[in-house]
Amino acid sequence: MKRQIIRIDREKCNGCGLCAAACHEGAIGMVDGKAQLLRDDYCDGMGDCLPACPTGAITFEEREAASYDEKAVQEHKVQKINGQLKSAGKELPCGCPGTNVRMFDRSGTSEAPCSAAAVSSSGAGAASQLRQWPVQIKLAPVHAPYFDNAHLLIAADCTAYAYGSFHNDFIRGKVTLIGCPKLDAVDYTEKLTAVLTENNIRSLTVVRMEVPCCGGIENAAVTALKNSGKFIPWQVVTISTDGKILEA
């Protein structure tokens, strides 16, 4: 097909690598000290790399090129992060598959609701809306590919059990992180600050139970957002022990 795609002038390229770092899809790599478009189907034609280039070596052109393949891009991101974790020696000694980064195709699902008012108070069972693994705050890598351009849900463990339609009303369209500040006995603030600071998060939703100990996960998330210095839409939703939305 004929479409808009980037073109890199190797004569103008100074080999700084800034364009490769700016390309979230991994379409650009460094070859023999110069930037190069590695795969047409990894390039979405949005041009995030253009403003990163200090020499003006990158322009748009319209030519015959393979269609953008989002699925292939996501698989490439997973392979890359798994390779980085392995190189850094961050795999568990037992090789536990529970720490492997995975992304699930939930195509056909709608975008995340803008506010809790858009969700229902109850609902029938449905297929899983979980889009990634792992989901535990402690296990999720800060630079996992699923955080890129994501609506982030940070939820207390018990909320999914108390609220009957949790997948459809909260997980759908979001990347999910869960934890329990009481049982984990850790402060999530530092980890969540890193996730928000180092990734392009589009919105933040915190879902907690009404019990006092759940205030820990809310405080960690809100503090992390403040520490990140970013201004993104956010909300806190409180669930009662009998499964109703109390605050939104």
Side-chain angles (χ1 to χ4, degrees):
M1 64 174 294
K2 201 168 188 178
R3 69 181 183 94
Q4 182 171 272
I5 197 167
I6 66 163
R7 177 181 180 276
I8 302 175
D9 186 335
R10 289 180 63 86
E11 293 299 320
K12 292 184 179 180
C13 176
N14 66 1
C16 68
L18 293 176
C19 59
C23 180
H24 301 298
E25 290 74 25
I28 301 175
M30 303 304 294
V31 178
D32 296 330
K34 298 282 187 176
Q36 181 173 311
L37 178 61
L38 302 177
R39 288 182 52 159
D40 287 358
D41 59 342
Y42 282 7
C43 178
D44 61 5
M46 300 298 291
D48 287 347
C49 53
L50 268 70
C53 179
T55 64
I58 304 176
T59 55
F60 280 122
E61 66 177 347
E62 189 169 318
R63 63 172 173 82
E64 289 293 329
S67 301
Y68 174 62
D69 190 338
E70 184 175 4
K71 184 177 180 180
V73 168
Q74 297 301 335
E75 290 175 350
H76 172 70
K77 288 182 179 180
V78 171
Q79 292 172 359
K80 182 178 179 180
I81 195 67
N82 282 338
Q84 290 173 342
L85 291 173
K86 186 174 182 179
S87 299
K90 294 183 179 179
E91 294 181 317
L92 293 184
C94 63
C96 175
T99 62
N100 292 339
V101 175
R102 298 183 63 192
M103 300 173 71
F104 311 122
D105 182 11
R106 305 297 185 192
S107 56
T109 59
S110 62
E111 280 288 313
C114 294
S115 69
V119 301
S120 62
S121 60
S122 63
S128 173
Q129 297 298 324
L130 190 65
R131 302 176 68 186
Q132 98 291 335
W133 189 267
V135 295
Q136 287 286 344
I137 296 173
K138 294 193 298 182
L139 297 180
V142 170
H143 299 103
Y146 45 71
F147 286 130
D148 184 39
N149 206 35
H151 293 283
L152 180 61
L153 169 67
I154 299 173
D157 290 349
C158 298
T159 54
Y161 293 95
Y163 188 77
S165 189
F166 196 81
H167 274 251
N168 282 333
D169 290 352
F170 290 107
I171 295 181
R172 184 198 297 270
K174 298 188 183 77
V175 164
T176 304
L177 293 180
I178 65 171
C180 176
K182 184 173 183 179
L183 298 182
D184 288 347
V186 296
D187 183 358
Y188 301 125
T189 304
E190 183 177 352
K191 179 69 169 288
L192 295 178
T193 297
V195 169
L196 292 169
T197 301
E198 301 182 34
N199 296 281
N200 181 28
I201 302 298
R202 297 172 61 187
S203 69
L204 172 64
T205 300
V206 181
V207 184
R208 55 163 292 182
M209 297 298 296
E210 63 176 322
V211 295
C213 59
C214 243
I217 200 163
E218 177 183 346
N219 291 336
V222 173
T223 301
L225 181 57
K226 292 178 180 178
N227 291 346
S228 73
K230 294 185 176 180
F231 298 92
I232 62 175
W234 67 280
Q235 63 171 330
V236 177
V237 181
T238 302
I239 306 294
S240 68
T241 52
D242 62 348
K244 296 183 177 66
I245 293 179
L246 296 180
E247 298 179 14

